[in-house]
Amino acid sequence: MFQNPKSWNKWIDFFSQKGYNCIAPAWPLHAGEPAELRENPPAGLGDLKLDDVLTEIETLVLKHDQPIVIGHSVGGLIVQLLLNRNAISMGVAIDSIAPNAMIDFDWGFFKNSATIANPFKGDEPIYMDAETFHSSFANTLTEQEAKQAFNEFATHDSRNVLRDCMGSAGKIDLDLPHKPLLFVAGEKDQIVPPSLNEKNFKAYSDSNSLTAYKEFANRSHFICGEAGWEEVAEYVYEWIREQEGSNDKHNLPI
């Protein structure tokens, strides 16, 4: 949420140089230049549902042969949903929204979740502004760094996507066997605190399935774009290579 494929450009370059075929699909109503999307929010943005996004991504995933999928925030939940459906060969969930209405007793989590999902706002989109982006999304950045990141990457979004994450559309059978899954958390994340990421990680119960967890110090929800993103990408790459156990190349939708 609040981003589009442009935010993955550095990761695409990084993994492409490692020999992967990378695809960064846009959510419905999220394609284009972020500044233009903020200036002219697409009609119907507020009506967008999680299933609309998942259908778009899953349709692309099923055109490939068990790809590796990396997702951030709501994208992390989508990774888990795809893994639960055995549609991918492995997944990386970064600062992931948790399934099954899982919550955490963290003030930042409650504040931001309540603001986004506010039922009194109906289907009105939630309009991201520079101040909120800095305080909630990119809180480890300086004001100038956060403003630059906002101008370059931030989009508005649908409240209904997060609402659906907390409902039946966001439910997963955490007892099923699954392909390798890595959780990545940011220590200073104000939207999905690391304690919730760890709770999500520990909820997977199949002892024969590989589930891993890694927390990065002093990282915000903007972990994939802030200074030091290379360290995160390198860790993810090494983890993927360890699971592959060979030099075979894979498609890597991000």
Side-chain angles (χ1 to χ4, degrees), residues 54-69:
L54 180 58
T55 297
E56 190 91 0
I57 304 302
E58 187 172 26
T59 298
L60 175 61
V61 162
L62 293 176
K63 292 178 181 178
H64 298 271
D65 181 19
Q66 289 280 299
I68 303 163
V69 180

Side-chain angles (χ1 to χ4, degrees), residues 34-48:
E36 295 176 7
L37 293 171
R38 291 195 305 271
E39 185 69 23
N40 299 291
L45 178 62
D47 297 319
L48 189 67

Side-chain angles (χ1 to χ4, degrees), residues 179-236:
K179 303 287 180 57
L181 173 61
L182 170 65
F183 286 93
V184 174
E187 179 199 10
K188 303 294 186 182
D189 194 328
Q190 294 287 311
I191 294 178
V192 184
S195 51
L196 182 55
N197 275 187
E198 189 171 13
K199 183 178 181 179
N200 189 171
F201 154 68
K202 290 180 176 178
Y204 280 87
S205 62
D206 183 66
S207 60
N208 294 316
S209 299
L210 176 64
T211 315
Y213 176 81
K214 172 66 176 177
E215 181 179 322
F216 285 88
N218 198 37
R219 298 305 207 285
S220 68
H221 202 62
F222 195 54
I223 188 171
C224 295
E226 68 183 299
W229 68 268
E230 299 95 338
E231 180 186 2
V232 182
E234 184 67 36
Y235 184 91
V236 170

Side-chain angles (χ1 to χ4, degrees), residues 78-136:
I78 290 174
V79 166
Q80 295 183 67
L81 289 163
L82 292 170
L83 206 65
N84 211 231
R85 299 177 183 190
N86 199 32
I88 61 179
S89 64
M90 70 182 81
V92 179
I94 303 174
D95 289 346
S96 179
I97 300 295
N100 302 352
M102 205 179 294
I103 62 172
D104 186 83
F105 296 103
D106 174 90
W107 169 242
F109 169 77
F110 274 111
K111 179 187 71 172
N112 287 300
S113 297
T115 299
I116 295 170
N118 187 345
F120 298 106
K121 293 292 187 177
D123 293 334
E124 176 189 355
I126 181 163
Y127 300 106
M128 179 59 74
D129 58 66
E131 182 180 353
T132 303
F133 184 83
H134 187 199
S135 64
S136 299

